[in-house]
Amino acid sequence: MQGDAQRDGGAHATRAAGAPAPRLPGFDLPHVMPPMVSRSPGAGDGMDPADDALLRQTQRLLSTSLTFAGGPVEVAERLRVALLQAHPSLMAALPGGPATRTAQLARALTWLVHHLDRPPVLVEGTGRLGAALAACEIEPGRMHLVGAALAEAMRAGMAPGQWRQDFDLAWRSTWQHVYEWISHGAARAAYDPPVWDATVVMHERRRPDLAVVRLRPELPMPFRPGQFARIQVPELPAIWRPYSLAGAPRRDDLVELHVRAKTTSGVSAALVYRTNVGDRVRLSRAEGAMTLPDEPGRNLLMIAGDTGVAPLKALLTELADTGDPRSAVLFWGVRDLGELYDIDEIAETARAARRATVVPVVSEGDPGPYASGLVTDAVAAYGEWSDHEVYLAGPPLMLTATSLALQQLGVAPERIHHDAPE
């Protein structure tokens, strides 16, 4: 706990130039959780009542100054712009565009102020943030400038004379602790892989047995189009099942899943039949190497079966978002017209790309305006593919059959990319 000298000086105490900001109570050991000691009557979190009062005083200073500075969204936007100018690679490592990054920063500021009086929660939360930032390849050392940029973002939103010394002292001392715990979380991520909590923000049943689900991770979650992540639902905490990610990390922080339930039990069934907007799930670190090469090269052939269209939709989105000049043709093989559950969005994505085409192939019944027959026959009839990079996604039998058919068409095995079935 802090000594009497600090309590006597309070948040209005003057500080010698260059002197470190004072320590807040409950955060003295950066390598363990804050100790929970015997609670005195009226103590809110197990600390000495005087220390608890100091924390609440600091919390009030943060809240008041944030309001004076225009609120969390305005402060977050100024902070984003300042960081973009000072260290563009730092912001570029975060998912989403400018609006998404501002929203992420605003949520972080709001969460910080609301939880400052609960040291264990704050320590755990900022540690998880450090692990998430490490997954984004942001080293804690690159974040030294954030504290100064935050103070400037606060000052810039206030009328002349409103920025006070106690505001400055409260933010500096708070950032000192936040930075320490972010650093600790980043170090821990090396041996304890991070997990992201996420909230369901959209759930649409596109077929009786299939849903498109969009999730918003609470912390920045990096992934490349074409990758997959493992999902855990609350009713089955011991099971993690892999799903391809169809989101657009250059645009926003949403993760999109295409989930088909073959039974009424299991993770897929829970996501399709028993999940609603506002529910929470957990995601593992993104995996998989079915991503576009960094440098444009060969043109692309993509072949999907059923919900295997999800990662290929993500690749088309990446082509559109980057203005990639490569040609891309996506064949989507389905049994009947009813299985083209996402054709409108995928066609719109292809139109946004410079040179992309979508070819649905219906194997049974009326094909409507689309090709009919087996998808491999349609691929063979469409053109010559030996000089293309090929991406496959779908059921295991489809992957095997399509890969063999492509090799018979002259495509080298090393040009055929798909994730190993699980």
Side-chain angles (χ1 to χ4, degrees):
M1 299 303 166
Q2 305 305 297
D4 292 338
Q6 180 177 317
R7 285 199 287 271
D8 291 343
H12 296 272
T14 58
R15 189 162 47 87
R23 304 291 296 177
L24 292 177
F27 300 93
D28 297 319
L29 301 174
H31 59 286
V32 297
M33 292 291 287
M36 298 300 289
V37 298
S38 299
R39 298 175 60 171
S40 302
D45 52 16
M47 295 188 300
D48 182 278
D51 287 332
D52 196 34
L54 179 57
L55 268 183
R56 295 184 185 280
Q57 180 186 17
T58 304
Q59 184 182 44
R60 286 192 294 271
L61 289 170
L62 298 187
S63 179
T64 301
S65 59
L66 192 60
T67 300
F68 285 177
V73 174
E74 290 191 17
V75 171
E77 174 61 12
R78 290 192 293 269
L79 176 59
R80 183 193 66 81
V81 172
L83 293 175
L84 186 63
Q85 294 173 343
H87 208 322
S89 64
L90 181 66
M91 296 306 296
L94 297 175
T100 295
R101 293 167 184 162
T102 295
Q104 289 174 331
L105 290 170
R107 290 198 300 268
L109 289 172
T110 301
W111 184 91
L112 173 64
V113 172
H114 285 176
H115 292 86
L116 189 71
D117 62 338
R118 300 169 63 192
V121 175
L122 187 62
V123 166
E124 195 273 339
T126 51
R128 291 182 60 229
L129 173 60
L133 294 176
C136 294
E137 300 184 349
I138 298 177
E139 298 177 358
R142 296 168 61 189
M143 300 186 64
H144 277 300
L145 54 85
V146 173
L150 177 57
E152 181 56 35
M154 300 289 297
R155 279 194 294 266
M158 294 188 184
Q162 273 192 323
W163 181 251
R164 306 186 327 228
Q165 184 181 9
D166 52 356
F167 291 161
D168 183 83
L169 192 63
W171 281 104
R172 287 179 182 274
S173 59
T174 300
W175 173 250
Q176 177 182 341
H177 296 291
V178 168
Y179 177 81
E180 287 179 2
W181 284 102
I182 286 175
S183 300
H184 175 66
R188 187 177 61 193
Y191 55 87
D192 185 13
V195 172
W196 285 262
D197 291 325
T199 302
V200 177
V201 297
M202 188 202 83
H203 186 281
E204 290 184 1
R205 290 277 289 277
R206 301 281 180 88
R207 297 192 328 226
D209 64 343
L210 185 146
V212 174
V213 185
R214 290 194 181 123
L215 314 171
R216 173 172 283 119
E218 292 185 354
L219 296 173
M221 179 180 171
F223 71 93
R224 294 185 63 186
Q227 289 189 304
F228 66 91
R230 300 176 193 279
I231 311 297
Q232 180 204 64
V233 295
E235 69 179 68
L236 296 167
I239 300 176
W240 293 78
R241 193 181 190 284
Y243 295 91
S244 295
L245 308 177
R250 292 182 184 272
R251 300 183 195 175
D252 53 43
D253 58 348
L254 299 182
V255 172
E256 180 176 302
L257 310 178
H258 295 195
V259 186
R260 181 185 178 190
K262 297 181 180 179
T263 67
T264 58
S265 61
V267 177
S268 292
L271 288 170
V272 172
Y273 302 124
R274 297 182 292 278
T275 295
N276 299 292
V277 171
D279 289 348
R280 293 162 64 87
V281 300
R282 307 186 84 193
L283 299 94
S284 71
R285 184 194 299 266
E287 305 175 59
M290 202 177 71
T291 58
L292 296 177
D294 293 330
E295 296 297 327
R298 297 171 182 265
N299 292 328
L300 308 173
L301 167 63
M302 306 176 188
I303 307 175
D306 199 38
T307 56
V309 79
L312 305 186
K313 177 184 180 181
L315 296 183
L316 285 182
T317 302
E318 180 77 349
L319 294 176
D321 287 352
T322 60
D324 195 299
R326 282 174 285 193
S327 168
V329 181
L330 167 60
F331 289 85
W332 186 9
V334 297
R335 287 184 302 175
D336 55 55
L337 284 173
E339 291 192 347
L340 293 173
Y341 64 90
D342 202 35
I343 188 60
D344 291 339
E345 288 188 18
I346 291 173
E348 182 179 352
T349 300
R351 286 192 293 270
R354 292 176 62 178
R355 300 171 61 202
T357 303
V358 179
V359 183
V361 183
V362 181
S363 63
E364 300 177 9
D366 179 12
Y370 306 120
S372 63
L374 298 177
V375 69
T376 49
D377 292 341
V379 170
Y382 196 91
E384 205 277 324
W385 308 104
S386 60
D387 61 347
H388 285 59
E389 294 288 339
V390 182
Y391 293 83
L392 309 179
L397 290 178
M398 172 263 180
L399 295 178
T400 301
T402 305
S403 181
L404 289 174
L406 288 168
Q407 292 178 53
Q408 292 174 356
L409 293 174
V411 180
E414 61 270 19
R415 299 292 181 195
I416 301 174
H417 310 281
H418 62 78
D419 289 320
E422 292 194 17

